[in-house]
Amino acid sequence: MPRMTTADAAVAILRREGVTNAFGLPGAAINPFYAAMRRDGGITHTLARHVEGASHMAEGYTRARAGNIGVCVGTSGPAGTDMITGLYSASADSIPILCITGQAPVARLHKEDFQAVDIAAIAGPLTKMAMTVLEPAQVPGAFQQAFHLMRSGRPGPVLIDLPFDVQMAEIDFDPDTYQPLPVYKPEATRAQVAKALDMLAEAERPIIVAGGGIINADAADLLTEFAELTGTPVVPTLMGWGALPDDHRLMAGMAGLQTAHRYGNATVLASDFVLGIGNRWANRHTGGLATYTAGRTFVHVDIEPTQIGRVFAPDYGIVSDAGAALKLFVEVARERKSAGWLTDRTAWAQECRHRRATMQRRTHFDNVPIKPQRVYEEMNRAFGPETRYVSTIGLSQIAAAQFLHVYRPRHWINAGQAGPLGWTTPAALGVCVADPDTPVVALSGDYDFQFMIEELAVGAQFNLPYIHVLVNNAYLGLIRQSQRGFDMDFCVQLSFDNVNAPEVGGYGVDHVKVAEGLGCKALRVTEPGEIGPALEEAKKLMAEYRVPVVVEVILERVTNVSMGTELDNVVEFEDLAERSEDAPTAVVALLD
Ligand SMILES: Cc1ncc(C[n+]2csc(CCOP(=O)(O)OP(=O)(O)O)c2C)c(N)n1
Ligand SMILES: [Mg+2]
């Protein structure tokens, strides 16, 4: 039997589970694991500048490609606590990442040893398993179980904490006969799917709410097929955006309080039946439940049994992997179609499309300082369907979801539930590592950008080119807008007179200089007409230098973006589109 350190065994298992990349940074307590990675030579390591950054890189890496599991590695103590935010946003969005931490030797865990913190206890509520491995011979089993759990049921993160002496201990382990454990994914039955289709058949105005579970199950094609077979309009959630291309005739728009379209909300309110697949009825999607559910029948399909009924009781629930359910939905719908049993939904689908062609927001503003809506219009012109967007939170993200177009699954990569500021830059870098061939465009507000700005150096060092659109209002914009309810503008200003950069005109941080100082390229624009040319220039710079390129757009400082508290009372702050020139990049041209 081969004899090796547990660290060598752990790395051998990572390789056999398909891991090719890791994100992290070493420290004394995790050096044995780094030594094992070095001996193995098969894992490409990206050195983050902040351990939280490594955890978000791992998330971006997982989210970019089906089957990927991002791995983040850090030392004992603060490295683990820094990665807690990544574990939170991964678990919130059902994203598997494996977090590996070093730890003080077993015999000193209870002695307040230097950087000995009970990270497994801290990570417990955020992970599917968080384990400090105390027995060297348990290390292979811990890793095997980690991959089994991350991939089974509702996907999510795992933390494995390895005391220094455990990493160094030798065990007998045979990598050649190691076998990943089978993955558990519940599947809908024919009877369940038939019942759900019977309920759909009784409806007059049905919609499908398509959640991130469809993306996780890699089942976007099945969703499209099912929607087309039955003629049912689709309302993607923020996490499901891209499951159906934005230019599909059955794309009915997103619904919700913020990241939503006017026509999406109107279609949900007009519907009488909702088939939710792989979604979780997030409160930013539903708004008040009385408004959301009134007069509607609900079927909910989710892989996690306890998600059924969590937010409200559906009329019927099915526990299933979204892909397995959709396969059956397609099969049974096809049979019913050839038997002539399917209802013709053309008129209802046309009604939804009419809403899409009439209820639009204006994007074409020529104002200086620039209005945010114009930025997304220019992005729609500059970036095609192949583009993969990455964003986290803020007015920037909310407006992006209202105005950008997404055409493919995994092309809208967003920390939907947790929304941690700082997420965008490291997540975008993880996405670039996972798929260097697809153009990546990240979008940040100035505060999100400043949170983890140091990670830009990682892009420069490891040649991870992408375009980072930075919309700068020198404000914690979303919070400033929400403070209107308190009649205040308190602790949300990011503006100051920068003694080194009077040219930024009181907007505070000189992002161009900082980005350049970190080894990236950067451009700044102040007029709407400059945005398009700057985005084209950014593409050239990215190709030439192979580093991240920041395009900073100086926005008007006070902007309010459409949002509300109920699906039927989203407040509009700007004029709506009245002519097609008002929203020239809308996918469906405005009927004026
Ligand atoms: C770690 C963290 N702290 C606080 C918040 C609350 N928060 C959400 S958006 C926001 C302001 C974001 O400002 P910016 O990135 O400039 O985007 P803008 O809204 O101005 O477009 C804050 C503070 C958060 N999401 N994450
Ligand atoms: Mg801002």
Side-chain angles (χ1 to χ4, degrees), residues 39 45 117 133 168 192 215 243 253 290 295 348 360 472 487 505 522 580:
R39 277 193 290 276
H45 182 269
V117 69
V133 188
M168 297 290 285
Q192 291 170 331
I215 311 263
W348 163 240
Q360 295 181 3
N472 182 1
D487 199 19
S580 54

Side-chain angles (χ1 to χ4, degrees), residues 30 51 77 168 180 217 219 254 315 318 410 449 462 472 542 551 557 584-585 587:
I30 193 71
V51 212
M168 297 290 285
M254 287 196 282
D315 296 273
I318 300 177
R410 300 180 189 279
F449 190 70
F462 293 92
N472 182 1
M542 199 175 71
V551 177
R557 297 221 41 226
T585 62
V587 175

Side-chain angles (χ1 to χ4, degrees), residues 52 85 376 392-398 418-422 444-451 470-480 492 494 555 557:
E52 181 184 339
T85 303
Y376 307 97
T392 178
I393 186 83
L395 292 182
S396 42
Q397 172 242 10
I398 293 167
L421 285 170
S444 288
D446 42 321
Y447 204 41
D448 172 44
F449 190 70
Q450 288 172 22
F451 250 66
L470 158 60
V471 283
N472 182 1
N473 51 20
Y475 251 122
L476 280 60
L478 177 58
I479 309 308
R480 184 208 52 72
V492 288
L494 294 170
L555 294 186
R557 297 221 41 226

